[in-house]
Amino acid sequence: MLKLYIKIFIIILLCRGGEVCAQGSFKEKIDSGHSMISEKFGKSVNRLDNFVFTEKELNKDTGSRVYFFNKVSFANDGQFLNEINYRLSLRLPRLSKSLQLSFDSNNKTPVNGNSDEGEVDNSDNRKVEEKVEANLHHFLKLSKLASMRTSGGLTASSQPQIFSKLYFSREDSFQYFNMTTYLGSEWYSRDRFSQSSGITLSKKISDLSTFRYIVEQGWRESTNIVSLSTGPSYIYFLSKRRSIEYNFRFDYENKPHFYLTNLRFFINYRQKLHKDWLYYDLGPYISFSREENFKQVHGAYLKLEVAFGEF
């Protein structure tokens, strides 16, 4: 599997981000194939809308998408993680500004070692159960700056559970920077409550670069652990097709006392391979974890993204 992704990455580099590989008849075949799939998906959405509603507002963007990504990450400690996830969202035309139906998957398969996100089944660390969530979202615009989203649904797995979510966000502009704040709360019938919040301060340095400082906080009732992650980010646009982001993060937890648990530095290089629906991300990282006595662990990931639908 690793050799396969190395070959894919070499092909990407040889193609210079898709600018060579997408020429001539091959480019036309890619575009026609994507257009055909998107058109068929759009027609299916329209049939569903006509089934749900007796009326349909014509020429209205439903915002329906099919989003898929494959992410492979590996580290020098032997950890190798493969993620294949998708998101299907349907915006119903008459309620396109307020109602959305979505299906989200969460599938992570560690090939060696355990997942660093604690989602590995201890009975078999090579396989993780795929989770699919069926969500019904309701969007409410509170003001020009603030919005709120409420969600409810069901997880489809060996242990199904119902859930509800609440998410509030606000954007403010000041003289020297922009500030984005959010507050989220979730309840699952089996996993109980969790809460998250965050503040992002952004300063546009030039037309090509932006500086950000991020503070994120989370809490889970099942573990009663409060986590905090904070640090700066610097984003630079190399061109209209490429960007690179540098990030430092300091992670803290309150078990049993509030202390530093991890120090991370990671880079995310993102490039548009073709139009607005095919991308890849490449991200090397270095981390120093308290659990490993702050021994250096380094690794990288490769992520491919594909999207179908109306644009």
Side-chain angles (χ1 to χ4, degrees):
M1 178 66 73
L2 181 58
K3 293 181 179 180
L4 174 62
Y5 281 95
I6 292 176
K7 291 180 180 178
I8 293 175
F9 180 62
I10 292 175
I11 292 173
I12 290 173
L13 292 180
L14 292 176
C15 291
R16 292 182 299 176
E19 294 175 3
V20 174
C21 288
Q23 290 180 357
S25 60
F26 184 65
K27 176 181 180 299
E28 294 175 357
K29 290 180 180 179
I30 292 177
D31 290 340
S32 61
H34 179 268
S35 299
M36 179 186 66
I37 296 174
S38 295
E39 182 180 359
K40 289 185 177 180
F41 174 71
K43 290 181 179 179
S44 299
V45 171
N46 291 338
R47 285 197 296 269
L48 175 63
D49 296 338
N50 287 326
F51 175 78
V52 175
F53 296 108
T54 56
E55 293 182 36
K56 177 175 171 58
E57 296 180 29
L58 300 177
N59 301 321
K60 191 156 190 174
D61 181 15
T62 65
S64 300
R65 305 281 189 271
V66 173
Y67 170 75
F68 166 86
F69 77 83
N70 187 191
K71 180 179 179 181
V72 177
S73 57
F74 52 90
N76 65 327
D77 60 356
Q79 184 179 117
F80 184 65
L81 185 65
N82 185 33
E83 301 179 52
I84 302 177
N85 292 333
Y86 66 85
R87 175 179 174 84
L88 167 64
S89 60
L90 305 174
R91 294 287 294 271
L92 303 179
R94 284 191 62 182
L95 299 173
S96 62
K97 294 182 179 180
S98 60
L99 195 64
Q100 182 188 55
L101 177 66
S102 71
F103 299 90
D104 304 272
S105 75
N106 184 14
N107 183 14
K108 301 180 182 181
T109 305
V111 179
N112 270 321
N114 292 326
S115 168
D116 58 354
E117 298 187 17
E119 296 184 2
V120 180
D121 187 351
N122 293 327
S123 61
D124 183 2
N125 61 12
R126 295 170 301 170
K127 186 177 181 180
V128 175
E129 177 185 43
E130 181 176 2
K131 298 179 181 179
V132 179
E133 289 188 353
N135 295 268
L136 183 62
H137 308 279
H138 181 264
F139 299 87
L140 179 62
K141 193 73 174 179
L142 302 177
S143 66
K144 292 183 178 180
L145 302 176
S147 62
M148 184 174 66
R149 182 186 68 203
T150 57
S151 307
L154 174 71
T155 61
S157 62
S158 61
Q159 295 180 319
Q161 53 183 329
I162 59 174
F163 63 85
S164 62
K165 302 178 183 180
L166 175 65
Y167 184 86
F168 170 84
S169 63
R170 179 182 175 89
E171 297 183 0
D172 294 281
S173 296
F174 300 94
Q175 184 176 0
Y176 300 105
F177 59 88
N178 296 325
M179 183 175 70
T180 302
T181 57
Y182 74 88
L183 176 63
S185 179
E186 300 180 356
W187 174 84
Y188 285 79
S189 57
R190 181 164 48 88
D191 297 334
R192 310 305 297 171
F193 285 98
S194 64
Q195 174 268 327
S196 61
S197 60
I199 299 176
T200 300
L201 301 176
S202 301
K203 172 63 177 178
K204 188 174 182 180
I205 300 176
S206 68
D207 292 336
L208 300 177
S209 61
T210 300
F211 175 82
R212 291 175 181 168
Y213 194 88
I214 298 172
V215 180
E216 296 178 318
Q217 174 269 333
W219 169 81
R220 290 184 179 276
E221 183 183 16
S222 58
T223 60
N224 198 28
I225 293 177
V226 177
S227 61
L228 178 69
S229 180
T230 182
S233 297
Y234 177 75
I235 304 98
Y236 184 79
F237 289 90
L238 302 170
S239 68
K240 293 182 179 180
R241 302 170 59 91
R242 300 177 296 146
S243 67
I244 188 167
E245 182 175 351
Y246 303 92
N247 304 274
F248 278 103
R249 291 293 182 271
F250 301 89
D251 301 327
Y252 300 86
E253 286 185 355
N254 69 332
K255 58 171 190 178
H257 306 291
F258 193 76
Y259 55 70
L260 179 69
T261 59
N262 199 15
L263 173 63
R264 297 176 289 146
F265 171 70
F266 53 101
I267 299 174
N268 188 77
Y269 173 81
R270 182 170 177 82
Q271 179 158 336
K272 182 190 300 183
L273 288 175
H274 188 60
K275 292 195 173 180
D276 293 324
W277 56 270
L278 182 60
Y279 294 84
Y280 83 90
D281 288 27
L282 181 64
Y285 70 89
I286 300 175
S287 66
F288 302 87
S289 173
R290 177 179 289 271
E291 293 184 355
E292 302 292 335
N293 295 321
F294 293 104
K295 179 182 177 180
Q296 175 183 314
V297 175
H298 57 269
Y301 67 85
L302 174 63
K303 180 180 179 182
L304 299 176
E305 297 182 16
V306 181
F308 298 95
E310 299 170 337
F311 292 90

